[in-house]
Amino acid sequence: MNVWGYWKCPYCGETVRADHKDCTKCGTSIPNDVKFFMNTSKPIEYVDKEDENDEANWLCSYCRCQNPAKNTVCENCGAAKHDALGTYQPDSEPIRPEPKPGQRRQRDYSYKRKSSKLKWFIFPAILLTALIVMWYYQPVEREGEVVGFGWQREIAVEEYNTFRESGWTVPGGGSVVSSNREIRSYRKVLDHYEYKTKRVSKRVQDGYSVEYKDLGNGQFKEVRKPKYKTVYENQKVREPVYRQEPIYDTKYYYNIDKWKETDSLVSRGDDHEPKWAETDLPTKVESPKYGDKRQGGRKAVYWVIIKDDKGNEQKLERSFEEWEKLNKGDKVRYMTHRNSDDPM
């Protein structure tokens, strides 16, 4: 359904219903650049069915008078509709009069200035915030002076013997002592169903909201949109219940002759002269017997003690090649966070 809009008299300020072309209070004619609006302070006035019109007015290119869409010529000056400037635009600025001869039209750029100012404020603020965060958390390189050294070396000790082990398969050289059916894993199996009460939500219609669309001719289309609300109710739902069913397999317990690490020989120091722990264990045994021992793998860690620009001592690990070339008093560069003194 259509309802009547209104226009405001530019002379006395009276609110006039759109189907009146003259002010009902002072007689002033409706302005060419009229802007129709809804008057919420008065009861809604519906347009008679036979007077409903959904077509926007057209604007005369000569006198800028607004004419009903059905008019083929301007009712004010007689100009043809095909020369029209266009139709009434509800969301546009009011049509402004033609400038006088020799006078340039003054355009309204205020909305552009406002949006431009807002844009130039928001985007730089976001960019500046991002740059500050990146700067704060970005790793930085710092320098310290070497004031000390440290190292630790370790030799694994392996023993050849018979070891009891277990597994789902027997490796080569293994001698099975016993076997047993044991749980290797579990699988999820449907056991039964249960009914449970759950509180569920749903959307239900809760009346209508009414909006009014400007049709551009003094009338507004009443648009009713349904409103919804969320309600809760108890519902019985059928849910599956699962059980964990064991999967059995054969597990083997076996003896196996092998080399196995049983100990380690550690040496450490706070000097610049690293050495391996002394041992008479061989590195290779051709025909091992039970109880024989040998040297296994070797590993080492090397570090320098530095004093940073704040006078704090820091420990930095370095490769042996780099560590060996350093001397006390040398400058060492290292990476750390901007908000921390600890090496990365």
Side-chain angles (χ1 to χ4, degrees), residues 27-299:
T28 300
S29 298
I30 187 171
N32 291 341
D33 59 354
V34 65
K35 183 73 173 178
F36 298 112
F37 60 90
M38 289 290 297
N39 187 4
T40 56
S41 64
K42 291 185 177 182
I44 298 296
E45 297 184 82
Y46 288 92
V47 179
D48 292 337
K49 198 66 178 177
E50 60 272 14
D51 295 329
E52 285 189 353
N53 178 19
D54 291 353
E55 296 183 273
N57 292 345
W58 58 274
L59 309 176
C60 178
S61 60
Y62 293 94
C63 68
R64 298 185 176 276
C65 177
Q66 290 195 33
N67 296 273
K70 63 182 180 181
N71 287 13
T72 57
V73 296
C74 177
E75 59 187 19
N76 183 53
C77 68
K81 180 180 180 179
H82 59 72
D83 292 329
L85 288 174
T87 58
Y88 172 91
Q89 299 295 322
D91 297 325
S92 66
E93 293 294 325
I95 301 296
R96 303 183 184 279
E98 282 288 336
K100 297 177 182 178
Q103 180 184 2
R104 298 183 64 182
R105 179 185 295 275
Q106 298 296 319
R107 297 185 179 179
D108 182 11
Y109 291 105
S110 60
Y111 74 97
K112 292 185 178 179
R113 287 196 296 270
K114 291 178 184 177
S115 62
S116 178
K117 288 180 180 178
L118 188 61
K119 177 180 69 176
W120 284 109
F121 173 78
I122 293 178
F123 291 148
I126 295 175
L127 180 60
L128 180 61
T129 302
L131 290 175
I132 291 174
V133 172
M134 290 174 61
W135 174 86
Y136 187 75
Y137 288 101
Q138 184 180 21
V140 294
E141 189 177 58
R142 292 183 178 170
E143 189 176 73
E145 180 183 343
V146 177
V147 296
F149 298 90
W151 54 272
Q152 177 175 303
R153 287 180 168 180
E154 185 176 343
I155 304 173
V157 176
E158 297 179 344
E159 181 179 350
Y160 188 81
N161 219 323
T162 301
F163 296 95
R164 174 68 58 85
E165 295 182 354
S166 63
W168 304 107
T169 59
V170 180
S175 176
V176 176
V177 177
S178 63
S179 63
N180 192 30
R181 296 288 290 177
E182 297 183 16
I183 298 174
R184 183 168 183 171
S185 60
Y186 291 87
R187 62 184 172 189
K188 193 176 181 180
V189 178
L190 178 64
D191 187 76
H192 63 280
Y193 287 92
E194 288 183 355
Y195 285 91
K196 294 183 178 180
T197 300
K198 283 191 173 182
R199 191 164 178 79
V200 297
S201 64
K202 67 177 181 179
R203 301 271 289 170
V204 297
Q205 188 173 335
D206 184 30
Y208 293 88
S209 63
V210 180
E211 298 177 359
Y212 297 95
K213 177 184 177 183
D214 192 346
L215 298 174
N217 56 28
Q219 298 182 20
F220 287 74
K221 176 72 71 176
E222 185 179 72
V223 181
R224 292 165 61 85
K225 294 184 177 180
K227 295 191 302 182
Y228 295 89
K229 66 178 180 181
T230 302
V231 297
Y232 296 88
E233 61 182 22
N234 293 329
Q235 285 187 359
K236 280 192 174 182
V237 293
R238 183 171 177 255
E239 292 187 346
V241 177
Y242 296 90
R243 70 174 186 274
Q244 294 294 326
E245 186 173 272
I247 298 175
Y248 288 87
D249 200 352
T250 301
K251 191 169 189 178
Y252 300 95
Y253 295 83
Y254 55 88
N255 292 333
I256 186 169
D257 296 339
K258 60 187 290 188
W259 289 101
K260 189 173 183 179
E261 183 177 340
T262 57
D263 199 358
S264 63
L265 302 172
V266 179
S267 57
R268 59 175 63 89
D270 55 3
D271 51 32
H272 206 200
E273 299 178 358
K275 58 182 72 70
W276 295 101
E278 294 184 1
T279 177
D280 56 359
L281 294 176
T283 57
K284 188 175 182 181
V285 179
E286 294 294 341
S287 302
K289 300 183 294 294
Y290 297 130
D292 284 351
K293 293 184 178 181
R294 69 178 183 183
Q295 296 182 39
R298 297 189 175 201
K299 57 185 178 180

